[in-house]
Amino acid sequence: MYLNIEFYFIVRILSFIRRFFIFCHLICADIYTLTHILLSINSIQSKIADFSKEFLSSYLESNVEIEKIRISPFNKVFINNLIIFDLNNDTLLYAKECNASIKLSDLLDNKITLNSVSVCDFIINTNKDSATSPVNAKFLIDKLKPKKKREKDIPKISVNTLLLQNGAFRYNLLTSPCKEDNVFDKNHVSIEDLLINASIKGYTNDSININVRALRLREKSGFTIKNIAFKLIGNKERVNLKNFSFAGKNSNIFIRDNEITMPKDMNFNEFIDRAEFNFGLDNSEIVLSDFSPFVPKLKDFNTPTNVTCRINGYANHLILDTLGVNYNDGGLVASGYGSIDNLFPEPKDAFLFGNMSYLNINSKSVINILNDMGIELNNYSVIRNIGNISFNGEISGFVSKLVTYGNVKCGIGNVSADMLLESDEGLNFKGKVKSNNINIGKLVTDKGLGNVAFDLNLNGKHSDTINKGKVEGEINLFEYNNYQYNNIAINALYNDKEYNGSVSLNDTNIVLNLDGMMNLSERNKEFALKIKGDSIRLNDINLTKRY
């Protein structure tokens, strides 16, 4: 009997607990429903919007407009038609729709976790009155900048989904004139169709973990990013960039796994000397015309180039371990290695070294490159007659003063060069060009011409306003009509369209001196030639059989 009484009381207690929980759930549901109904009333939404508008205007010390705010209990906020004005009362930011969802339970663990943040149909307008004045958004940046806190008080921030879509960004330096169309103007930037889809897995004062799934934009100059995606993980000692991909109008660039390793709490000088880089470009297809808004001369370079490379070292001592280039489906293939030192603090003082261990290009690709450069020839037979070209050589020196030498072999012979190149308001060059055998007859399809060997010294200067130089040296061999002329000395000057020089030939069957000048300018065309000859045996040099 006692067991029955105990069982009866246990059942009654459990029944009470069950009803109590049901009652609590109903109360919570009623509160949620009532709160949701209250927050859905237009007048209450307007009150919340007015309160938020006044609070933000006071906090930012600038005008803020909000049409409507809707709160979905207890962790979602929806904002319609948000406008933030700058201190001149011009629109700094407009967003048609904004919403955010927060994970409330994480606030207890000193974490701010946003389940989602979405901004649609937005425009950001930034400007500066002059090059030295602050940007109009500075007041907003200063207000949103976190105040210094103890490290343990700084919350960990994460955003599971960040979506910015159909956005626009504009920056204008108001005192600067605009550049021509299709050229990127750093003083007048206008970005349309901006989309960012990302997640911030973790962000603190000393670490970051970001995953960008999509970044797209179109700039008024024509520069277009179809998509950028990457994962960035970093702390005070290491930054790792994984699976970076870039898709332009026609280019596709891939960087698989790259890393920067650095000691803690270093300044800039320590960074460039001690931060270690490891970077690789994997099987990337680059079309240079995609970047013509930044370098207009690239606008006709439409032929794809496949590039692979590996770079490591320090900011002031970067080593190009490997370089592979494949242009026009194998029409140009190249490989090499190199290095660059002392890039900072003055890039113009950097020291370069490069070795092109192998380069091979066919005549079709030479023609493609010329066309990409905007150079069109009436007759391409000369280039086709040259055939395949191979090259190997080195370049080294400071950016403003480079020494280069190399060897070229092709279907008509070989040429070697050793040159000093200086960039001083143009290009200055000085050096030697030499060949033991060039078949110029095959080059110009003239049966009378044959092999040529020469050893020439060049010295010149070329810029937008100056085009002058000097050529002197010896033509050791010149073959014509099956006769080999030897010991030809040449000394010539040129200045724009004016040419002056002398050629002397001291051969066993002919002694000849030529002095002359030629002016091809439109206003003052002039030609003069003085010829002096001796011991000329026309029959022996195969010019005629009559003498």
Side-chain angles (χ1 to χ4, degrees), residues 254-291:
F254 302 100
I255 302 173
R256 298 298 178 199
D257 194 0
N258 303 277
E259 192 172 78
I260 302 175
T261 306
M262 47 199 172
K264 281 185 176 180
D265 304 321
M266 63 173 65
N267 58 34
F268 179 74
N269 290 331
E270 291 173 328
F271 176 82
I272 62 177
D273 289 330
R274 298 170 60 191
E276 188 173 359
F277 294 81
N278 198 327
F279 169 89
L281 201 63
D282 296 334
N283 198 27
S284 298
E285 187 173 78
I286 300 173
V287 178
L288 293 177
S289 59
D290 285 2
F291 306 95

Side-chain angles (χ1 to χ4, degrees), residues 385 438-452:
N385 292 337
I438 289 286
N439 191 330
I440 58 173
K442 187 176 179 181
L443 179 68
V444 298
T445 62
D446 187 328
K447 294 182 179 179
L449 292 170
N451 295 321
V452 174

